Amino acid sequence: MELRRLVRGRVDWPRLEAVVRELRNRYGREELHVRFLEADNWLSTPMVVDDEWFVKVVSKQNSLVHALFTTGRNLGAFSSGTEGFFEHFGTPLEMAEHELEATRRMREIGLNAPEPVEAFEVDGLGVLVLEYLPHFQSLDRLDRKREEQLAPAVFQALHTMHEHGLAHGDLRAENVLIVDDDVYFIDATNVSDEGAEDSRSYDLACALAAMEPLIGAKATVDAALESHTTEHLLAALDFLDFVNIRPDHDFDAAALKGVIGQRAT
């Protein structure tokens, strides 16, 4: 347990207090109400401040874990027959700055994402501040009928992202938030421009993997084909086995491959 806490980069309370003091000074508040989230997050310490801001505190240990994850994902990409396209950040601040910029770019192309506020550094910690969305559900917390209704919108939003030269890099059901039937993307990771085409196929494979346990293979593929071509899905097939060995995805790869194969013939 202590090793897990160390690797996850748990931040000591005095350093968190320093972050809260900096937030109070930046936003002109005499006091702040801070609520720490029980999220199972290896890459930051998340908290809600004054029910107005969602704040991620990124430690050096979080950056180390991100480097390990990046290495593992690139090895998985190699096993799929392509060059690795995930990139690491050098410092906690760079991790925070990347997510801020990725969120800003998603909003610029018309996708829903929390409003980016700023990223800064306190005592070697990277601090990311985003708009807090108070009334949301993650995609995997909905009933099946609503998940089926929203599936085409999820794939359409992903297609829009790809059309504008962006890739998410870590698409999972918990990274898709639903607010008043609108689809929001969060927690984009860093992928290289050189591997853009492969990273988009990987994105689509992740989206298929996220939706299949919720609505089944047939409904998932039908929803994807409303915005993606059969060729796109066939390219995503190359990454399904890689996605399937990730511990944060649990889906029926054989069923998806079978349905995509039927649609391709």
Side-chain angles (χ1 to χ4, degrees):
M1 180 62 70
E2 290 303 316
L3 177 60
R4 286 168 63 87
R5 290 173 60 184
L6 175 64
V7 172
R8 287 189 182 205
R10 178 164 180 163
V11 181
D12 293 335
W13 179 243
R15 299 181 77 198
L16 289 174
E17 283 186 319
V19 171
V20 173
R21 284 195 300 270
E22 180 65 20
L23 290 167
R24 186 185 62 193
N25 293 336
R26 283 173 176 266
Y27 304 140
R29 303 286 174 91
E30 291 187 4
E31 59 182 38
L32 294 173
H33 177 264
V34 178
R35 174 163 51 92
F36 291 95
L37 301 181
E38 295 298 327
D40 188 18
N41 197 330
W42 294 77
L43 300 180
S44 68
T45 298
M47 57 188 180
V48 176
V49 178
D50 275 0
D51 286 331
E52 185 174 349
W53 300 294
F54 178 65
V55 178
K56 288 185 175 184
V57 181
V58 183
S59 68
K60 185 177 181 180
Q61 290 95 326
N62 293 141
S63 178
L64 172 62
V65 171
H66 183 270
L68 295 174
F69 282 1
T70 299
T71 299
R73 289 171 180 170
N74 280 329
L75 288 174
F78 292 141
S79 73
S80 300
T82 185
E83 295 292 330
F85 43 79
F86 297 99
E87 294 188 329
H88 175 56
F89 310 94
T91 66
L93 177 60
E94 288 177 1
M95 285 181 65
E97 289 175 334
H98 167 76
E99 188 168 343
L100 183 80
E101 180 60 24
T103 304
R104 180 177 292 125
R105 291 180 69 189
M106 283 192 285
R107 287 174 63 92
E108 286 175 351
I109 65 174
L111 295 178
N112 296 314
E115 181 179 355
V117 179
E118 63 174 331
F120 55 90
E121 186 175 36
V122 176
D123 190 23
L125 300 168
V127 182
L128 169 69
V129 185
L130 303 172
E131 168 195 14
Y132 174 58
L133 303 173
H135 305 295
F136 71 85
Q137 291 177 291
S138 61
L139 183 64
D140 55 346
R141 297 295 182 179
L142 308 177
D143 61 76
R144 180 165 180 143
K145 181 178 179 181
R146 196 164 174 224
E147 288 165 348
E148 289 178 344
Q149 292 171 340
L150 289 167
V154 173
F155 285 106
Q156 177 59 62
L158 187 64
H159 180 63
T160 299
M161 185 185 298
H162 293 170
E163 279 191 317
H164 287 83
L166 305 180
H168 187 281
D170 192 26
L171 194 60
R172 294 172 282 134
E174 55 264 43
N175 288 341
V176 181
L177 306 184
I178 308 302
V179 181
D180 297 329
D181 288 331
D182 291 326
V183 175
Y184 282 68
F185 285 156
I186 62 170
D187 289 353
T189 192
N190 195 22
V191 296
S192 67
D193 293 336
E194 291 79 7
E197 185 174 348
D198 287 331
S199 64
R200 290 164 200 160
S201 296
Y202 173 79
D203 265 358
L204 183 53
C206 287
L208 293 166
M211 293 303 309
E212 188 279 330
L214 306 180
I215 64 175
K218 181 180 182 299
T220 295
V221 173
D222 287 344
L225 284 172
E226 291 192 26
S227 51
H228 294 77
T229 66
T230 303
E231 288 72 23
H232 289 152
L233 268 63
L234 289 172
L237 279 181
D238 291 338
F239 293 97
L240 276 182
D241 289 334
F242 165 34
V243 176
N244 201 27
I245 64 174
R246 286 183 52 167
D248 48 5
H249 279 285
D250 184 12
F251 66 101
D252 191 338
L256 280 172
K257 290 178 180 179
V259 176
I260 293 172
Q262 291 172 5
R263 297 293 189 272
T265 58

